[in-house]
Amino acid sequence: MPAAGPDPAGIIIGMERAALERWGQGDPDGFIDLSAAEVSYFDPFAERRLDGRAALRSWYDQIRGKIHIDRFEMIEPRVQVAGDVAVLTFRFDSHGSEGSMQWNATEVYQRSPAGWKIIHTHWAFHRPKVAA
């Protein structure tokens, strides 16, 4: 029986967590480094979808050094793998310069010779269910 390969879920969650750590220090380059050249990106603050790493870098440069996160939690991270594509979903709870923020995040990764790269990102505000 062949030996099991590296766990894609553990690798992807680890890479995402490391990029979030850098983000929390005002450095978005962790996500730039993880993104494929043709990445697409949705953000509730962006007027439209961003296409390509250059557009993403330009977007991030506007906030570089301005966001500082004291602590965060990736809540219920889940990685679903289908061949060379993996979808990471999680809730993100952060506390820092922007106050307390709750997000829903989706990252679509694709395995390439360079390793796992983000090909699509979607961040949305998390709105907890209000009791009726």
Side-chain angles (χ1 to χ4, degrees):
M1 203 136 151
D7 172 34
I11 291 168
I12 289 168
I13 291 170
M15 292 186 330
E16 189 80 14
R17 189 176 306 279
L20 288 167
E21 290 281 349
R22 288 178 69 179
W23 181 269
Q25 300 303 311
D27 176 9
D29 288 340
F31 282 107
I32 298 293
D33 295 345
L34 286 180
S35 294
E38 68 281 0
V39 67
S40 57
Y41 180 90
F42 277 118
D43 184 298
F45 295 109
E47 186 174 315
R48 61 179 180 77
R49 184 188 66 226
L50 303 174
D51 292 323
R53 194 169 38 225
L56 184 60
R57 182 183 307 278
S58 178
W59 177 255
Y60 283 163
D61 281 347
Q62 298 174 55
I63 56 174
R64 181 180 300 280
K66 296 179 182 175
I67 295 174
H68 296 281
I69 298 172
D70 299 319
R71 68 184 195 292
F72 73 84
E73 183 179 2
M74 288 177 72
I75 301 167
E76 299 175 336
R78 179 179 184 203
V79 176
Q80 297 167 277
V81 180
D84 287 334
V85 173
V87 179
L88 167 62
T89 55
F90 60 97
R91 288 192 351 255
F92 183 69
D93 187 14
S94 67
H95 305 274
S97 62
E98 304 293 306
S100 293
M101 302 286 291
Q102 291 81 38
W103 298 86
N104 293 321
T106 302
E107 300 276 33
V108 180
Y109 283 80
Q110 183 177 39
R111 187 180 3 233
S112 72
W116 290 99
K117 293 290 185 181
I118 298 170
I119 59 172
H120 179 74
T121 295
H122 191 133
W123 285 90
F125 294 119
H126 173 70
R127 303 206 191 286
K129 185 175 180 179
V130 177

